[in-house]
Amino acid sequence: MQNNLGRTEFKGLGFYVPEKVLTNFEIEQMVDTSDEWIYTRTGIKQRHIAAADQATSDLAAVAARRALEKSRLLPTDLDLIIVATATPDTQMPACACLVQQKIGAKNAVAFDIAAACSGFIYGLSVADAYIKSKAYQNVLLIGAETFSRIINWHDRSTCILFGDGAGAALLQYGNGSSGIFNTFLGADGAGAELLTIPAGGSRLPADRESVEKSLHFLQMNGREVYKVAASGMAKAILSALDHAGFTLEDVDFIIPHQANVRIIESLIQKLKIAPEKVFLNLARYGNTSAASIPIALCEAVEDHKVNKGNLVVLVSFGAGLTWGASVIRW
Ligand code: UT7
């Protein structure tokens, strides 16, 4: 729905990926795979991997400081920090509290959102509601992950896909014509087992057997996730646009979750959109889950692929299953 009373605007963006790069050629030395298989099946060439002393909150804190700098705000100006992550440093406390302490945002409320790869879009919806209700003014939304810690590095079907990183956005109420027009979300718990970490929670707490069976690592039915990803994202885009009063023709640029180039190509075909209107950085980072969209958005803005006045759609799909799309006037 169009809302003339004001919108949630993006004031500043920042991202961080760890220095260490892991190429497909290096993965060839670890499991039975090849650069050729990985690149042709996924579009990935390399991914960044956190150093031994880095956890998700460390990556998030760097991205947060960069977004604050771009926004010309101090950490103490923040009212709320939301971290979207499937890989918090610990089950408790929330990663957002660790980030709050690390960056010195002592006035901010802090909590996490668990919506896996859709976490940033879910977070946008939450931040937008808080900002529009005037509950919080300066909201820092971060998508941050260290999937390298939950990957079974002996499982060639998943270890090739993921990378570590963080992206952050400072969101504020604005009276102008730019900002978030609509965020559409969806979920289907019937698909929960398609992408899961079976152990380490209340269903199957850590014990010797769970560790021996590698149940604390991510397990994915890639083929089944693949089947629903493109159609789920296409429907999310059309629903978000419809609710915002726009059509596909109005869209200048689409930033999809970076999971697999073939899923993105299939999305392009389904919606019959020009490939040059769709952002890709998958080759360099792999799938960074909740960090993928804010990293991509930050790069797209820095590369002037997203410019002032553009109508931009962010769209994601991930574990849950969850999906979502956000329509933004830049
Ligand atoms: O953020 C959302 C989360 N996840 C996703 O978006 C993932 C969605 N799924 C995918 O991207 C794809 O399903 C994968 C990239 C994971 C797999 O691609 P695929 O084309 O669906 O391959 P497949 O699973 O159907 O496997 C084809 C073959 C199999 O061999 P057989 O059974 O045909 O002999 C696999 O064992 O490829 C084999 N294979 C590999 N071969 C070399 C699986 N992984 C590898 C590998 N290297 N790394």
Side-chain angles (χ1 to χ4, degrees), residues 19 45 172 273:
E19 281 68 30
K45 275 289 194 192
Q172 255 181 7
I273 39 180

Side-chain angles (χ1 to χ4, degrees), residues 246-260:
F246 291 112
T247 67
L248 263 183
E249 284 70 50
D250 299 316
V251 175
D252 295 298
F253 208 65
I254 294 179
I255 299 185
H257 169 50
Q258 308 285 308
N260 184 325

Side-chain angles (χ1 to χ4, degrees), residues 49-83:
I49 303 290
D53 63 351
Q54 283 180 315
T56 298
S57 68
D58 300 306
L59 314 191
V62 182
R65 285 191 200 99
R66 291 179 179 173
L68 280 170
E69 217 168 281
K70 285 272 180 208
S71 315
R72 296 167 193 260
L73 286 177
L74 297 171
T76 46
D77 294 326
L78 291 176
D79 304 303
L80 171 63
I81 298 172
I82 304 173
V83 176

Side-chain angles (χ1 to χ4, degrees), residues 27 40 98 100 112 148 192 205 237 273 311 329:
I27 295 187
T40 53
L98 305 177
Q100 186 240 34
D112 289 358
S148 62
I237 291 175
I273 39 180
L311 194 71
R329 176 77 68 195

Side-chain angles (χ1 to χ4, degrees), residues 5-9 131-132 134 137 171-175:
L5 298 174
R7 294 186 199 291
T8 297
E9 291 181 353
I131 289 169
K132 281 197 185 133
K134 309 278 169 75
Q137 204 182 340
L171 303 161
Q172 255 181 7
Y173 189 80
N175 292 312

Side-chain angles (χ1 to χ4, degrees), residues 80-99:
L80 171 63
I81 298 172
I82 304 173
V83 176
T85 186
T87 50
D89 299 28
T90 52
Q91 287 286 336
M92 193 172 67
C95 189
C97 293
L98 305 177
V99 174

Side-chain angles (χ1 to χ4, degrees), residues 158 193-196 219-227:
T158 53
E193 296 204 343
L194 295 179
L195 185 39
T196 180
Q219 293 183 357
M220 179 170 69
N221 183 334
R223 217 173 284 190
E224 290 306 311
V225 175
Y226 186 95
K227 274 187 204 161

